[in-house]
């Protein structure tokens, strides 16, 4: 089994929300990570979530409001995270949201935001903290999705779900993760993606309330991927 990141380093949860990201934060807190930074656009939501982590796990947790579609702001907030939590970053967990648009409904702004949050900000974030990651035997962990896969089925689903921008952004993100994996491994840093193949309970795609895939099972897969580090891409379920 490969060595895991230093549990005394900071884990950054970028794109925090009540589903997968919240489950990942709880999972890594339960594994002994003592400093957690939560990133999303809404400070009040982050403050509540951080307080719950502190109360439950007796760790240091803090929220930092930032738009992941703004790459310079992301680089700036990572410096703020290091200063406020008095440490270096060992894990970057990347789970950006976004507003899915159909291929004929997208605008320059919405399409640009999808690419920025899923690819540009991810790569520039890694640039900013690469020395931290290397010093902590760190990892970059990214949430992927079924729509990113190169198949007729996924392309048809993108049309059926009116989610062309999401599919394109996730596909570009998948390639970025693949390149990051090979660019970082010589530094002792792991980069990998968990590709979610089914609809997750509680998400906007689960309008019929029929999904059976839990965010907790996805968090378990991320923990397994980080500890084993034996594949760039793994899937759930």
């Amino acid at each position: 089994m490969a060595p895991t990141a230093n549990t005394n380093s900071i884990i950054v949860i970028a794109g925090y929300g009540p589903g997968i990201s919240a489950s990942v934060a709880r999972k890594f807190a339960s594994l002994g990570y003592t400093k957690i930074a939560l990133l999303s656009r809404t400070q009040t939501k982050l403050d509540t979530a951080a307080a719950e982590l502190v109360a439950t796990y007796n760790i240091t947790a803090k929220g930092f409001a930032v738009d992941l579609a703004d790459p310079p702001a992301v680089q700036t907030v990572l410096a703020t995270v290091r200063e406020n939590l008095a440490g270096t970053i060992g894990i970057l967990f990347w789970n950006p949201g976004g507003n899915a648009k159909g291929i004929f409904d997208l605008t320059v702004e919405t399409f640009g935001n999808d690419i920025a949050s899923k690819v540009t900000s991810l790569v520039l974030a890694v640039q900013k903290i690469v020395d931290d990651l290397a010093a902590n035997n760190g990892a970059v962990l990214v949430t992927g999705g079924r729509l990113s896969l190169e198949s007729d089925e996924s392309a048809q689903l993108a049309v059926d779900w009116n989610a062309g921008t999401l599919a394109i952004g996730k596909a570009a993100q998948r390639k970025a993760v693949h390149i990051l994996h090979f660019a970082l491994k010589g530094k002792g840093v792991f980069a990998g993606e968990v590709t979610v193949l089914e609809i997750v309970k509680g998400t906007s795609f689960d309008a019929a309330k029929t999904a059976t895939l839990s965010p907790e099972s996805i968090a378990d897969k991320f923990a397994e991927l980080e500890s084993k580090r034996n594949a760039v891409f793994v899937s759930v379920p």
Side-chain angles (χ1 to χ4, degrees):
M1 183 179 293
T4 59
N6 173 16
T7 55
N8 291 319
S9 64
I10 302 164
I11 176 170
V12 175
I13 308 291
Y16 182 83
I20 295 172
S21 294
S23 293
V24 168
R26 291 192 293 267
K27 180 66 179 181
F28 280 87
S30 72
L31 291 173
Y33 286 82
T34 59
K35 296 180 179 181
I36 298 181
L38 308 176
L39 309 185
S40 79
R41 288 178 295 181
T42 308
Q43 189 65 53
T44 53
K45 175 181 71 176
L46 295 173
D47 290 343
T48 299
E52 290 173 355
L53 287 169
V54 172
T56 303
Y57 298 99
N58 192 29
I59 62 170
T60 301
K62 189 170 182 179
F64 301 84
V66 67
D67 184 354
L68 295 187
D70 184 345
V74 171
Q75 287 196 317
T76 297
V77 83
L78 290 172
T80 303
V81 165
R82 295 174 83 256
E83 180 180 352
N84 275 259
L85 296 185
T88 55
I89 296 169
I91 293 180
L92 175 64
F93 171 72
W94 199 261
N95 185 45
N99 296 315
K101 295 289 184 181
I103 202 73
F104 298 119
D105 300 321
L106 64 84
T107 65
V108 171
E109 181 180 11
T110 57
F111 193 50
N113 285 345
D114 257 339
I115 296 299
S117 65
K118 293 175 177 63
V119 181
T120 312
S121 288
L122 169 61
V123 174
L124 292 182
V126 173
Q127 283 184 7
K128 183 71 174 179
I129 63 171
V130 65
D131 290 340
D132 281 13
L133 295 171
N136 288 295
N137 192 52
V140 179
L141 305 174
V142 181
T143 306
R146 180 180 182 182
L147 295 181
S148 71
L149 302 180
E150 191 174 319
S151 68
D152 291 348
E153 179 196 28
S154 68
Q156 186 62 57
L157 278 177
V159 174
D160 294 343
W161 292 352
N162 207 37
T165 55
L166 176 62
I168 294 169
K170 284 293 189 182
Q173 174 188 276
R174 184 177 178 88
K175 189 63 178 181
V177 171
H178 210 173
I179 294 170
L180 284 169
H181 177 84
F182 286 94
L184 291 170
K185 68 177 183 177
K187 300 178 182 294
V189 179
F190 173 77
E193 177 181 293
V194 172
T195 306
V196 180
L197 298 180
E198 299 295 340
I199 295 173
V200 181
K201 289 192 293 186
T203 65
S204 59
F205 289 104
D206 187 24
K209 307 297 183 184
T210 57
T212 58
L213 182 60
S214 72
E216 290 80 13
S217 66
I218 299 169
D220 289 342
K221 183 64 72 170
F222 271 112
E224 179 185 352
L225 178 62
E226 198 280 325
S227 66
K228 291 184 176 179
R229 303 189 176 199
N230 59 353
V232 185
F233 300 106
V234 295
S235 298
V236 176

